[in-house]
Amino acid sequence: MSVFRNLSARLALLSASLALAPPAISADLPAQPPPPPAQTWSFTITPYLWATSLSGFTTVRGRTADVDASFIDIVDRTEFPKNLFQAAAVLEARKGPLSLWADIAYSKVGVTGDALRSRQFSPDIGGSIGASASLRVRLLIAELAAAYEVGRWDDGFGQGGSTAIDLYAGTRVWWQQANLNLSLTGTVTIDDLAIARGRAIARSGDVAWADPMIGARLRHQFSPAVELVVRADVGGFGAGSDLSWQAIGAFNLELFKTATATWSGLIGYKALFVDYEQGSGRTRYRYNMLEYGPIMGISARF
């Protein structure tokens, strides 16, 4: 009987221990999802070429010339690299919905021949003159902007496609030098012009200003390897130029990946307009010009 009593006591003690022990986690419970990865900065650098055509007019020291030159005209009639040179690149940093970028382009363009026509001078510019011989413009345009993604949705086809909308604001800084070479086939008041080899040269000197701008960007991912980017902005508002606007559309096509970067090709189209004016009479400078043409480049995302 003592044996049965001891066995009963031990069973009771074991039951009490099991009752007080914390419950085991059932293997049938669903596993908790892992936490989302921490957002980190990614960086993209895109050097590109812009085959620029020009349409508009420019005024240098009160003398105005109309410009209508395609990129083919400029290449055909311009000495490279003396009067035709360009370097441009976009640098972008992104973290989650926030994006910061700089788009910097330098160009030196010469226009001659049928693509250039002189106008009647202002009333306070004396004399008359023959057709303009050439125009040479040096431009530096630096665009700095911050963007924020305000919407994103999947395309519903299950191929990894999505569309996102960014709103952005920033500034576009301009620096220019323009030389307008005028053939001396008539009479003209030339005390403010330089004379060289039978031509009167109107030089603008350094001209610089900054335009505030606001815009929107659409990014559509057809697949992880193909992306369409369309953006447009407007600026100036009288703070720098009277008006400036820009429109860009481009495809990014993934080419290959390395251990440190994803490389893509870029092809698209860019148009940029500005209307800026300063001074009056013989000190008047105005640049009312549309620059437009295809763009091509290659980008590396780190």
Side-chain angles (χ1 to χ4, degrees):
M1 296 296 294
S2 60
V3 174
F4 288 109
R5 284 196 298 269
N6 291 337
L7 181 58
S8 299
R10 290 180 181 180
L11 291 174
L13 181 60
L14 179 59
S15 299
S17 300
L18 292 175
L20 295 175
I25 298 176
S26 172
D28 295 333
L29 292 178
Q32 295 297 318
Q39 291 182 344
T40 59
W41 286 99
S42 65
F43 302 92
T44 304
I45 179 170
T46 308
Y48 68 93
L49 296 176
W50 185 16
T52 309
S53 300
L54 301 176
S55 179
F57 64 88
T58 184
T59 300
V60 183
R61 291 193 173 275
R63 284 85 178 174
T64 299
D66 292 317
V67 180
D68 186 10
S70 70
F71 180 73
I72 299 300
D73 293 334
I74 294 172
V75 171
D76 185 52
R77 300 172 181 268
T78 301
E79 180 182 354
F80 178 84
K82 181 180 179 180
N83 291 328
L84 179 59
F85 177 80
Q86 185 185 88
V90 178
L91 299 93
E92 182 169 0
R94 171 173 289 277
K95 183 178 183 182
L98 177 65
S99 179
L100 308 172
W101 79 71
D103 187 345
I104 302 172
Y106 171 81
S107 61
K108 181 166 56 176
V109 179
V111 182
T112 62
D114 295 340
L116 196 66
R117 287 287 184 270
S118 65
R119 289 193 194 179
Q120 179 66 37
F121 295 160
S122 301
D124 55 349
I125 304 296
S128 62
I129 203 165
S132 300
S134 64
L135 171 70
R136 187 172 65 182
V137 182
R138 297 171 63 194
L139 301 167
L140 177 64
I141 306 170
E143 177 183 302
L144 307 172
Y148 193 83
E149 184 181 293
V150 296
R152 172 183 287 272
W153 59 93
D154 294 335
D155 62 10
F157 293 108
Q159 302 297 321
S162 64
T163 302
I165 300 292
D166 301 328
L167 298 182
Y168 64 89
T171 184
R172 193 159 33 236
V173 181
W174 303 74
W175 171 86
Q176 297 182 352
Q177 282 185 349
N179 292 345
L180 184 58
N181 301 333
L182 308 167
S183 58
L184 295 176
T185 60
T187 60
V188 65
T189 303
I190 59 176
D191 58 345
D192 61 331
L193 303 178
I195 306 302
R197 298 181 182 179
R199 295 178 180 177
I201 305 174
R203 294 191 172 99
S204 70
D206 294 333
V207 181
W209 72 93
D211 285 338
M213 64 174 183
I214 55 174
R217 178 172 64 172
L218 179 146
R219 295 175 288 120
H220 180 71
Q221 200 87 29
F222 292 96
S223 70
V226 182
E227 181 184 39
L228 170 66
V229 178
V230 178
R231 68 181 177 99
D233 57 65
V234 62
F237 311 115
S241 65
D242 291 333
L243 174 67
S244 67
W245 58 260
Q246 179 178 236
I248 301 175
F251 281 98
N252 292 305
L253 310 174
E254 184 179 308
L255 301 177
F256 59 89
K257 293 183 179 181
T258 63
T260 57
T262 298
W263 295 83
S264 301
L266 176 145
I267 185 168
Y269 200 87
K270 176 177 178 178
L272 176 62
F273 171 82
V274 66
D275 184 9
Y276 174 79
E277 183 178 7
Q278 70 174 33
S280 61
R282 296 182 184 178
T283 65
R284 186 177 183 224
Y285 179 82
R286 186 173 182 184
Y287 190 77
N288 182 296
M289 196 71 63
L290 174 64
E291 303 174 48
Y292 60 95
I295 55 176
M296 295 177 291
I298 188 167
S299 66
R301 186 175 71 250
F302 304 92

